[in-house]
Amino acid sequence: MSTTERPRILVVGGGYVGLYAARRILKKMRYGEATVTVVDPRSYMTYQPFLPEAAAGSISPRHVVVPLRRVLPKAEVLTGRVSTIDQDRKVAVVQPLVGEAYELPFDYLVVALGAVSRTFPIPGLAENGIGMKGIEEAIGLRNHVLEQLDKADSTTDEEIRRKALTFVFVGGGFAGAETIGEVEDMARDAAKYYPNVKREDMRFILVDAADKILPEVGPKLGQWGLEHLQKRGVEVYLKTSMDSCIDGHVVLKNGLEVDSSTIVWTAGVKPNPALARFGLPLGPRGHVDTAATLQVQGTDYIWAAGDNAQVPDLAVGEGAWCPPNAQHALRQAKVLGDNVISGMRGFPQKEYKHANKGAVAGLGLHKGVAMIVLGKMKIKLRGRLAWYMHRGYHGMAMPTFNRKIRVLADWTLGMFLKREVVSLGAIENPREEFYEAASPVSAAKPAPVEKAKAS
């Protein structure tokens, strides 16, 4: 870590808001005006809308992430966590991946910790659930699903087969509907290469406590999405929840009980719980309470935006808050970056205001829904055209030209080449085979078998 006497702008979190805010600040800042420091436990930013496609193998996992050091060459990038904030002294305590924690002074603070999966104390969930907030989880889910097909194809035990081929997804919002749509698509394609596994042998279940799925695109498109998934053989249970999943035995509140080796949890998100240790004013759901200028209430040197912030939605009206999506995060980050520069130079702050432009969702190859807002008119699309809108929007929103080209190349190759159905489950324990080979127990030669003496 370098030391400097220049003012330090500390960006806590290297996600969508953290990355774009830091880029905006560096772009607007005069040479030597300040030091921009970004702290995040990962050295990369993940574009979360592409996680379902990464889980289905439509996009290479490395193309869904953006390396912070490459994109922010003029910033300090520290791999670690900010554990606490002392506002009186303007000091943050940084816990690096290895070594002792240390204090890092700052002059201006940007809080961009994002959100984590919102879970409930359901028995068995922590041990058996799979989230969808990071690229590691998306890769793990893909490998896990293909491993279940391997197991089912290789055994004659019907109980093992049934459990391996039952896939339960909890949560019917964007993340849940898109993930089950993509994974079902992948599993359907992969089944062609397994002589003992057919799509009819698989059971896909989507559970949501609400009375509809995909609420972001409106009731009509949500209903179309529901019926589309049902036509593909997905069982959808609304107005219900999961009571337990101990040892993979899933019990739903509506009385349904199934054994499943795959339980995917996408039932919403909540602000990063680390915010509680920063001494900032929080809203009723744990978000940082900000003004429309993205300044934290009661401060003139701290800003927050994105999933961890409670930002007034001026385009809707009093009492409304901006929803946690990439559409707002991108635009908030730019306004936040400009306001940090303005605050540092003593200029007035600009309020954030953005009217909703709609929403898009992909439900597998060539399948999707889209609701586009043009002024007072709403255009509703479904099927292949909506899928093109989904890919077009997120392809443009993907950070950096480098990653846009890589994602486009993945999509282009996918038009001509079949999807890969290789499971790399061993990647989770890459040293296991070497350990067994090097272990003294495994290296010991078995005792020789005595030959029967001739009579």
Side-chain angles (χ1 to χ4, degrees):
M1 183 191 70
S2 63
T3 57
T4 177
E5 295 181 356
R6 294 178 293 183
R8 172 178 273 115
I9 302 169
L10 177 59
V11 180
V12 184
Y16 211 104
V17 169
L19 172 66
Y20 266 102
R23 289 183 74 187
R24 188 76 170 188
I25 292 168
L26 290 167
K27 179 180 179 181
K28 297 284 186 176
M29 195 171 62
R30 293 189 290 263
Y31 177 77
E33 187 175 5
T35 297
V36 177
T37 302
V38 180
V39 182
D40 195 277
R42 293 180 175 86
S43 61
Y44 53 85
M45 168 265 185
T46 302
Y47 189 65
Q48 294 181 354
F50 278 155
L51 291 181
E53 288 203 50
S58 298
I59 301 177
S60 171
R62 285 186 176 85
H63 301 165
V64 178
V65 299
V66 180
L68 296 177
R69 287 183 173 84
R70 180 172 180 174
V71 179
L72 304 172
K74 296 181 181 179
E76 269 185 344
V77 178
L78 306 179
T79 307
R81 300 178 185 274
V82 172
S83 56
T84 57
I85 297 287
D86 187 331
Q87 295 185 48
D88 295 331
R89 298 169 53 216
K90 287 190 175 181
V91 168
V93 176
V94 178
Q95 178 62 61
L97 292 183
V98 293
E100 298 291 329
Y102 56 87
E103 292 188 341
L104 185 69
F106 63 85
D107 298 274
Y108 306 95
L109 179 65
V110 175
V111 182
L113 284 176
V116 299
S117 295
R118 181 186 63 189
T119 59
F120 303 100
I122 298 173
L125 179 59
E127 296 80 7
N128 300 288
I130 303 172
M132 274 296 287
K133 284 292 293 175
I135 190 61
E136 304 86 355
E137 292 171 316
I139 298 172
L141 176 59
R142 169 178 167 77
N143 290 331
H144 176 80
V145 169
L146 292 175
E147 279 185 350
Q148 301 315 303
L149 301 187
D150 289 337
K151 289 180 182 178
D153 188 64
S154 307
T155 183
T156 56
D157 190 315
E158 280 303 317
E159 186 175 340
I160 294 177
R161 277 176 54 86
R162 195 179 305 112
K163 186 173 182 178
L165 296 177
T166 300
F167 308 94
V168 178
F169 292 72
V170 183
F174 266 175
E178 288 189 312
T179 302
I180 195 171
E182 293 284 356
V183 171
E184 191 275 338
D185 224 11
M186 178 191 71
R188 183 186 295 271
D189 285 347
K192 300 173 184 176
Y193 304 98
Y194 291 88
N196 300 318
V197 175
K198 298 179 181 178
R199 172 59 182 91
E200 293 75 19
D201 300 329
M202 305 179 203
R203 189 176 184 184
F204 283 86
I205 299 173
L206 179 62
V207 181
D208 198 285
D211 60 353
K212 56 182 174 294
I213 68 169
L214 293 170
E216 300 90 343
V217 296
K220 289 187 178 180
L221 287 178
Q223 181 63 28
W224 183 89
L226 169 64
E227 293 172 357
H228 170 76
L229 290 175
Q230 289 175 329
K231 288 178 181 178
R232 289 164 59 180
V234 177
E235 300 175 38
V236 182
Y237 298 99
L238 302 177
K239 297 182 181 179
T240 192
S241 56
M242 185 170 67
D243 281 344
S244 67
C245 57
I246 299 173
D247 295 328
H249 183 69
V250 177
V251 179
L252 301 184
K253 194 169 288 293
N254 64 0
L256 179 68
E257 296 188 25
V258 295
D259 288 323
S260 173
S261 296
T262 308
I263 302 167
V264 183
W265 182 268
T266 58
V269 296
K270 64 180 180 181
N272 196 310
L275 294 171
R277 301 192 296 271
F278 287 7
L280 303 173
L282 303 180
R285 295 183 298 167
H287 300 78
V288 179
D289 190 13
T290 74
T293 59
L294 303 175
Q295 283 181 306
V296 175
Q297 297 286 6
T299 73
D300 59 0
Y301 65 95
I302 305 177
W303 293 261
D307 292 356
N308 70 178
Q310 181 178 275
V311 180
D313 193 341
L314 299 182
V316 174
E318 186 176 354
W321 310 104
C322 295
N325 57 36
Q327 181 180 158
H328 280 288
L330 171 61
R331 292 166 175 82
Q332 287 175 4
K334 292 180 178 179
V335 174
L336 186 153
D338 291 344
N339 282 349
V340 170
I341 296 294
S342 297
M344 188 167 56
R345 297 173 181 171
F347 296 148
Q349 297 282 293
K350 177 184 176 182
E351 290 187 335
Y352 172 76
K353 183 178 181 180
H354 169 68
N356 179 37
K357 299 298 182 183
V360 291
L363 299 174
L365 285 175
H366 311 136
K367 300 172 280 286
V369 292
M371 188 267 290
I372 313 300
V373 179
L374 296 176
K376 295 183 179 180
M377 182 172 60
K378 292 183 179 181
I379 301 175
K380 299 177 182 180
L381 304 172
R382 60 192 188 187
R384 185 181 289 264
L385 185 56
W387 178 75
Y388 284 131
M389 292 292 298
H390 160 75
R391 283 200 163 181
Y393 173 79
H394 286 299
M396 293 297 295
M398 182 70 191
T400 78
F401 181 74
N402 179 298
R403 284 306 186 263
K404 293 182 198 294
I405 293 299
R406 290 177 184 272
V407 169
L408 181 60
D410 286 340
W411 287 340
T412 304
L413 288 173
M415 294 170 60
F416 303 100
L417 305 176
K418 293 183 179 181
R419 193 191 328 234
E420 291 288 351
V421 293
V422 178
S423 169
L424 296 177
I427 200 171
E428 298 174 14
N429 297 292
R431 295 188 63 252
E432 184 175 357
E433 186 174 345
F434 179 80
Y435 175 79
E436 291 181 358
S439 172
V441 176
S442 62
K445 294 182 179 180
V449 179
E450 290 189 8
K451 294 183 180 180
K453 293 181 180 180
S455 56

